[in-house]
């Protein structure tokens, strides 16, 4: 799945389909997706020794990262001068550090009433995504395939669009 297509399809399950109507909607969307991002990044860390689990978590992190780009009005483009190197562990650490930097920007914007430093967030998000791409390859998977699996999961969970009841049911999860 082409990554900009993934970003577009992800809007289906975003609040207001990723189109905030006002500043409050934008704040809520950015806050929700920043919290989701950092939570899913921690799940990547906890799943590092289980290939199937980490691929699912990479998909979940991707959903939140691309969703934040959407709320920031940005279409994903890879960074030309950013190279990802290291072990699985060091790349996972970079992903967690980047998610922490993103959440710090959101905290300052929403709760401390600073101007949103969207360029810093966008840079961190793009770096995070490029780390996810390399991490997927390290687990012998295609990032595009992981994104497709994430969209398929979300379509199963939310047949029409996001709603609270489907979020609670989680029909895609087997106990």
């Amino acid at each position: 799945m082409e990554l900009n297509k993934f970003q577009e399809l992800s809007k289906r399950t975003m609040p207001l389909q990723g189109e905030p109507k006002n500043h409050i909607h934008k704040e809520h969307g950015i806050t929700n997706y920043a919290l989701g991002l950092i939570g899913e990044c921690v799940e990547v860390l906890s799943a590092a020794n289980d290939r199937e689990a980490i691929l699912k978590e990479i998909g979940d992190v991707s959903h939140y990262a691309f969703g934040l780009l959407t709320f920031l009005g940005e279409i994903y483009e890879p960074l030309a001068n950013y190279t990802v190197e290291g072990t699985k562990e060091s790349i996972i650490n970079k992903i967690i550090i980047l998610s922490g930097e993103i959440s710090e920007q959101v905290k300052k914007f929403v709760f401390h009433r600073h101007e949103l430093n969207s360029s810093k967030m966008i840079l961190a998000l793009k770096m995070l995504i490029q780390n996810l791409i390399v991490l997927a390859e390290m687990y012998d998977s295609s990032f595009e395939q992981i994104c497709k699996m994430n969209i398929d999961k979300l379509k199963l969970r939310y047949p029409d669009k996001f709603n609270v009841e489907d979020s609670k049911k989680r029909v895609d999860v087997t106990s």
Side-chain angles (χ1 to χ4, degrees), residues 85-89 91 133-141:
E85 296 177 342
T87 64
K88 289 177 185 176
E89 294 77 19
I91 291 173
I133 291 168
V134 172
L135 186 61
E137 291 168 359
M138 291 178 145
Y139 282 92
D140 300 316
S141 189

Side-chain angles (χ1 to χ4, degrees), residues 146-158:
I146 291 170
C147 290
K148 182 183 181 322
M149 289 174 11
N150 184 265
I151 291 297
D152 291 345
K153 175 190 82 172
L154 292 173
K155 284 181 178 179
L156 181 62
R157 188 178 294 177
Y158 307 108

Side-chain angles (χ1 to χ4, degrees), residues 14-32:
M14 292 177 71
L16 304 168
Q17 286 68 58
E19 305 283 338
K21 306 295 184 223
N22 57 46
H23 185 76
I24 298 298
H25 288 161
K26 183 176 180 175
E27 276 189 10
H28 287 178
I30 288 173
T31 303
N32 178 31

Side-chain angles (χ1 to χ4, degrees), residues 66-127:
F66 279 90
L68 277 167
L69 285 175
T70 298
F71 277 116
L72 296 170
E74 183 76 11
I75 302 296
Y76 175 71
E77 298 265 342
L79 298 169
N81 297 320
Y82 179 70
T83 304
V84 178
E85 296 177 342
T87 64
K88 289 177 185 176
E89 294 77 19
S90 67
I91 291 173
I92 290 170
N93 285 339
K94 287 179 201 173
I95 290 167
I96 291 170
I97 290 166
L98 288 164
S99 71
E101 289 176 12
I102 293 161
S103 70
E104 180 69 13
Q105 292 302 311
V106 173
K107 176 194 75 173
K108 288 177 181 175
F109 169 61
V110 174
F111 299 106
H112 296 184
R113 294 296 176 210
H114 293 201
E115 286 294 314
L116 180 62
N117 190 340
S118 59
S119 60
K120 188 171 185 176
M121 280 183 61
I122 289 166
L123 177 62
L125 286 162
K126 289 180 177 185
M127 290 168 68

Side-chain angles (χ1 to χ4, degrees), residues 43-59:
E43 290 182 19
V44 164
L45 177 62
S46 68
N49 295 322
D50 179 340
R51 181 180 182 276
E52 295 308 310
I54 199 164
L55 296 180
K56 177 199 158 300
E57 299 306 338
I58 290 171

